[in-house]
Amino acid sequence: NAGVTQTPKFQVLKTGQSMTLQCAQDMNHEYMSWYRQDPGMGLRLIHYSVGAGITDQGEVPNGYNVSRSTTEDFPLRLLSAAPSQTSVYFCASVARGRDEQFFGPGTRLTVL
Amino acid sequence: LAKTTQPISMDSYEGQEVNITCSHNNIATNDYITWYQQFPSQGPRFIIQGYKTKVTNEVASLFIPADRKSSTLSLPRVSLSDTAVYYCLVLRGSQGNLIFGKGTKLSVKP
């Protein structure tokens, strides 16, 4: 199993540009989440999903959209990038009834 | 969910035992205590989870007193590679929506 994969690893955007961060998992996990981590800080939950077609907001959802059309994929869309969205983004998944979340390697995003 | 409080940072030397305490005064009956480890430039990794008394695995031990208002993560004989941030979380049937605090940054010195 590849586990949780994220692409790209690095990305530089200009203010106002849009882009999609990709996340995929091959463990057939029902639950998937997106977090952001700013320097020296803990992770903050952006959006999460408990299954295909179901998403919900986390602590810091503004400026981000998500959709879950399949169990495997959970893309995160930045609609109009802002410098405040410069961060490292982590995707995670967990099986229903379990508490051990598996995290991807992260995407480091810089918005100029 | 119960709020957790843990030290911002700790220093240790190789070979020592390290104990990181987390307080969670408002823990509920159905809550579990879970610890994650995060190395620089990586995503967090699940270490251990417990409900009460003591849990031990190949990585760490978790001690939880009877009142469950605190817990202690114990790392035996740390090495330089244990330098990481350690997060204490209180969970009640997670649906993937974890709430992380700032964690404890452990620095292990030679």
Side-chain angles (χ1 to χ4, degrees):
Chain A
N1 287 351
V4 179
T5 58
Q6 294 183 236
T7 56
K9 285 187 170 52
F10 301 93
Q11 183 70 49
V12 178
L13 294 177
K14 294 181 180 178
T15 297
Q17 287 184 315
S18 62
M19 80 159 294
T20 299
L21 307 185
Q22 301 292 343
C23 174
Q25 52 93 9
D26 62 357
M27 297 173 283
N28 204 32
H29 287 171
E30 292 84 357
Y31 304 151
M32 296 185 73
S33 316
W34 275 103
Y35 300 84
R36 61 175 287 174
Q37 185 172 34
D38 300 327
M41 303 291 288
L43 284 78
R44 289 186 291 170
L45 180 66
I46 303 172
H47 287 283
Y48 65 103
S49 168
V50 299
I54 306 170
T55 63
D56 207 346
Q57 296 181 350
E59 302 173 88
V60 288
N62 292 341
Y64 307 95
N65 274 358
V66 292
S67 60
R68 184 100 180 268
S69 57
T70 67
T71 299
E72 295 78 19
D73 301 298
F74 191 41
L76 178 72
R77 297 183 187 85
L78 280 70
L79 308 174
S80 177
S84 61
Q85 294 178 304
T86 293
S87 190
V88 180
Y89 291 83
F90 291 102
C91 179
S93 73
V94 59
R96 187 193 308 273
R98 303 296 300 271
D99 286 317
E100 181 179 353
Q101 280 207 4
F102 292 85
F103 284 80
T107 294
R108 187 175 297 274
L109 176 68
T110 301
V111 182
L112 303 176
Chain B
L1 293 175
K3 180 182 176 182
T4 60
T5 302
Q6 51 185 125
I8 295 295
S9 64
M10 293 182 68
D11 291 331
S12 181
Y13 290 94
E14 282 191 294
Q16 288 186 330
E17 179 185 72
V18 171
N19 295 310
I20 306 174
T21 298
C22 177
S23 64
H24 26 78
N25 291 324
N26 296 323
I27 191 168
T29 303
N30 295 334
D31 291 341
Y32 282 77
I33 298 141
T34 305
W35 286 80
Y36 279 79
Q37 174 191 55
Q38 185 180 25
F39 295 117
S41 301
Q42 294 186 26
R45 180 176 74 114
F46 174 91
I47 304 177
I48 197 166
Q49 182 181 66
Y51 184 78
K52 62 180 178 180
T53 63
K54 177 183 175 182
V55 179
T56 297
N57 62 23
E58 64 278 4
V59 177
S61 295
L62 179 60
F63 298 92
I64 305 168
D67 67 4
R68 304 197 333 119
K69 293 185 182 300
S70 67
S71 59
T72 299
L73 176 73
S74 181
L75 304 173
R77 296 180 298 282
V78 295
S79 64
L80 296 176
S81 62
D82 291 315
T83 293
V85 177
Y86 293 83
Y87 297 97
C88 167
L89 294 88
V90 172
L91 304 180
R92 188 181 308 152
S94 168
Q95 292 185 320
N97 49 339
L98 299 183
I99 303 298
F100 285 83
K102 293 184 179 180
T104 297
K105 184 176 183 179
L106 173 66
S107 298
V108 180
K109 303 174 183 178

